Amino acid sequence: MSDRAKIDEETKYVQDLPGFKRTNPHYFSDPMIDRLLEIILLMGGEIWSLRHRQAITEKLLASGEPVSPDIIETFKPDDGFKELMENERQDLIKRMFASLAGGQFPDPKAPGFTWVTNPGEDKD
């Protein structure tokens, strides 16, 4: 089975969601709300990218190492830094999705939310 066919099969369930349309899904009665949600999520990704690069820059500066765009791009973090960044990323995601859920972030182990907090892991 091709990668595309596998993805199509694994995501077939979305066709049953309200507002599903293959090239332009919408889930709220006003499509503008969907666009605003998309903007918010894209901005969250950009904020994380900037935070991550800033943390790398600060770590390099604090250790007296040179800083350049190439060094930032090829930075190899130690386990402690990886864990710190992962915890900060999870915190940002939880705050964003808690806001969307009315301030109550669901249990990260709850089915349907593991993709948010543990991307790439199999669902329970």
Side-chain angles (χ1 to χ4, degrees):
M1 179 180 288
S2 74
D3 287 344
R4 179 75 241 167
K6 185 177 179 184
I7 290 169
D8 285 346
E9 183 62 33
E10 290 174 352
T11 59
K12 196 176 243 182
Y13 71 92
V14 300
Q15 295 176 16
D16 296 329
L17 295 174
F20 173 80
K21 186 176 175 189
R22 189 134 184 74
T23 58
N24 189 20
H26 69 276
Y27 303 101
F28 295 95
S29 57
D30 183 348
M32 186 54 71
I33 295 173
D34 289 299
R35 301 287 75 80
L36 290 171
L37 179 59
E38 182 178 355
I39 290 167
I40 290 166
L41 295 175
L42 288 169
M43 289 176 73
E46 290 297 322
I47 288 169
W48 174 249
S49 178
L50 291 170
R51 280 188 176 182
H52 189 247
R53 289 181 66 87
Q54 180 180 3
I56 292 169
T57 302
E58 290 173 358
K59 183 168 181 60
L60 291 169
L61 288 171
S63 66
E65 296 182 42
V67 178
S68 73
D70 287 340
I71 291 171
I72 293 169
E73 289 295 324
T74 59
F75 178 75
K76 301 287 186 220
D78 59 31
D79 289 341
F81 188 77
K82 278 184 190 177
E83 185 177 344
L84 175 69
M85 289 291 90
E86 179 61 20
N87 289 339
E88 287 190 19
R89 186 180 71 85
Q90 293 296 328
D91 186 52
L92 177 65
I93 291 170
K94 287 176 184 177
R95 285 194 323 263
M96 285 180 62
F97 279 90
S99 176
L100 293 173
Q104 298 290 321
F105 190 78
D107 177 3
K109 300 291 184 191
F113 287 94
T114 55
W115 66 272
V116 174
T117 56
N118 300 306
E121 286 188 16
D122 292 335
K123 294 178 183 170
D124 294 336

